[in-house]
Amino acid sequence: MKRRKALLAMAVTVLAMSTVAATPAGLMPRQLAGQRVIYSYPGLTPPASLLQRIRAGEAAGVIFFGENISSSQQITNVVRQFRDANAQSPVHRPLLLMTDQEGGKVRRLPGEPVLSEKQVAQSADPSAAAKAAGTGAGQNLAGVGMNVNLAPVLDVYRQPGNFIDKYGRSYSQDPQVAGALGRDFVTAQQSTGVAATAKHFPGLGAVPAGSNTDVGPVTLNVPLSELRAKDEAPYHPVVDAGVKLVMLSWAVYPALDASRPAGLSPTAVQELRTKTNFAGVTVTDALEAGALKSYGGPGNRAALAAKAGMDLILASARDVSQGDDAASALAAGLSDGSLPSADFTAAVDRVSALRDGVK
């Protein structure tokens, strides 16, 4: 009898421990954390470690770069490997498989859209050109099995040849034009089943030539009235059109938050949520960016971004261990309470809804 009682007590203890460790969705903390991390990898062949993470339900998706792609057929085969691994995952949702297919010089896949955003705006029929670019991007990504495009750029450039205009990545100096063409691109692309990402909120259009958040810190002393009237303005029609994701920039905007880059700032995230009514998925820019060099390693950066309200962490250094560091930090924050479980679950729910809506 005593032995039976002891065994029963042990079973109750084990059950209680598993209940604490598991989430309402039935996922363990490391799996739940993985739902918020986009991984990357070097070269043409996916590492076994990344495939294992996906099989274990510990990754939300993968971002692809030029070094991962030698041809459409090659990347189609790679995507199939990821999808096969995901079929074995306890998370029964499509992976988010993404790239930057903006058009012009910023294209990871060969083919559409060929025109840059600036060329779209300068064409004889800009609206038709933006719709064609969105359709072309969506069909191109879907054709190789990808389902998220990190485009369009909604930055409203200030000076010709500055950081964002240098490669034709801005539609216009007019926020109404940028918003209208961005809306046309998003609507056309998302009709192909590929989710679109508006970037880089609240805007990089004022970054001068020679500055780059990928390389180092950038501070934009733009008055709040100008920031809202010019830089944030294109997001309103695009959010109204149902854009699925918004990427926040790594620049510092003293009018919103003098001490933290937008992607680490609760104030900047709330600016997006409250001023545009965006209810979709927020995604960071590259976690390895030079703008974050004073914020510690990937784990600390990921935790700060999550605490600020970022849903997805873009671990894009082409290093699986970077994604692992980010996910481990998120799992630790969830377990010790420094990342509140209600907020964490809400972020995962937004990502899950996105994944449920793609192929």
Side-chain angles (χ1 to χ4, degrees):
M1 181 63 72
K2 289 183 179 180
R3 178 175 173 78
R4 181 186 298 176
K5 287 183 178 179
L7 289 172
L8 180 60
M10 185 182 299
V12 169
T13 301
V14 170
L15 178 60
M17 290 176 62
S18 66
T19 303
V20 171
T23 70
L27 300 182
M28 303 301 286
R30 181 59 178 76
Q31 291 172 314
L32 196 67
Q35 306 313 297
R36 300 181 65 176
V37 178
I38 300 296
Y39 277 79
S40 62
Y41 65 97
L44 298 175
T45 303
S49 58
L50 178 51
L51 293 170
Q52 180 53 40
R53 284 293 183 210
I54 291 169
R55 289 189 195 100
E58 296 176 351
V62 180
I63 180 172
F64 301 96
F65 291 91
E67 72 176 80
N68 305 129
I69 302 168
S70 62
S71 68
S72 294
Q73 185 58 54
Q74 173 267 337
I75 196 61
T76 299
N77 291 336
V78 167
V79 166
R80 187 176 298 115
Q81 290 183 62
F82 284 127
R83 289 183 178 271
D84 288 346
N86 191 54
Q88 302 172 53
S89 165
V91 180
H92 303 298
R93 292 185 166 94
L95 286 174
L96 298 174
L97 301 167
M98 62 186 65
T99 196
D100 297 272
Q101 195 75 2
E102 298 174 12
K105 293 181 182 294
V106 183
R107 290 181 294 160
R108 312 304 187 198
L109 290 166
E112 293 294 329
V114 173
L115 297 182
S116 69
E117 291 193 3
K118 189 170 189 177
Q119 290 170 328
V120 164
Q122 293 173 341
S123 64
D125 187 342
S127 179
K131 292 174 183 175
T135 299
Q139 291 176 342
N140 196 354
L141 267 66
V144 299
M146 297 185 198
N147 52 25
V148 179
N149 189 9
L150 297 175
V153 173
L154 297 185
D155 300 330
V156 180
Y157 78 95
R158 302 298 201 275
Q159 300 296 326
N162 74 352
F163 165 68
I164 208 67
D165 180 58
K166 182 177 180 181
Y167 297 107
R169 298 177 70 203
S170 172
Y171 286 117
S172 178
Q173 291 179 294
D174 183 334
Q176 277 66 49
V177 172
L181 296 181
R183 178 195 61 215
D184 290 340
F185 182 99
V186 165
T187 302
Q189 183 192 277
Q190 292 193 161
S191 70
T192 69
V194 174
T197 308
K199 63 187 187 185
H200 311 81
F201 187 88
L204 291 176
V207 176
S211 293
N212 186 343
T213 55
D214 286 346
V215 178
V218 173
T219 297
L220 295 177
N221 287 298
V222 178
L224 184 59
S225 58
E226 180 183 340
L227 195 66
R228 288 176 173 166
K230 182 160 284 192
D231 296 289
E232 296 180 16
Y235 286 85
H236 294 276
V238 172
V239 169
D240 289 345
V243 69
K244 301 292 187 183
L245 304 95
V246 171
M247 177 183 288
L248 277 77
S249 92
W250 287 138
V252 175
Y253 302 81
L256 292 174
D257 187 330
S259 62
R260 289 168 289 196
L264 301 183
S265 168
T267 305
V269 175
Q270 283 305 303
E271 178 82 0
L272 169 66
R273 297 290 191 194
T274 60
K275 296 301 180 183
T276 73
N277 294 319
F278 178 67
V281 171
T282 52
V283 58
T284 70
D285 206 339
L287 197 62
E288 67 277 8
L292 303 186
K293 60 186 178 183
S294 64
Y295 291 91
N300 192 57
R301 297 176 185 191
L304 290 172
K307 189 172 291 188
M310 301 304 296
D311 298 326
L312 275 178
I313 309 300
L314 196 61
S316 54
R318 280 77 114 190
D319 184 348
V320 174
S321 68
Q322 182 198 34
D324 286 345
D325 289 346
S328 294
L330 296 185
L334 177 61
S335 296
D336 67 20
S338 58
L339 294 176
S341 60
D343 294 342
F344 206 108
T345 300
V348 172
D349 286 346
R350 285 188 290 270
V351 174
S352 296
L354 171 65
R355 293 175 68 175
D356 287 341
V358 298
K359 297 178 180 178

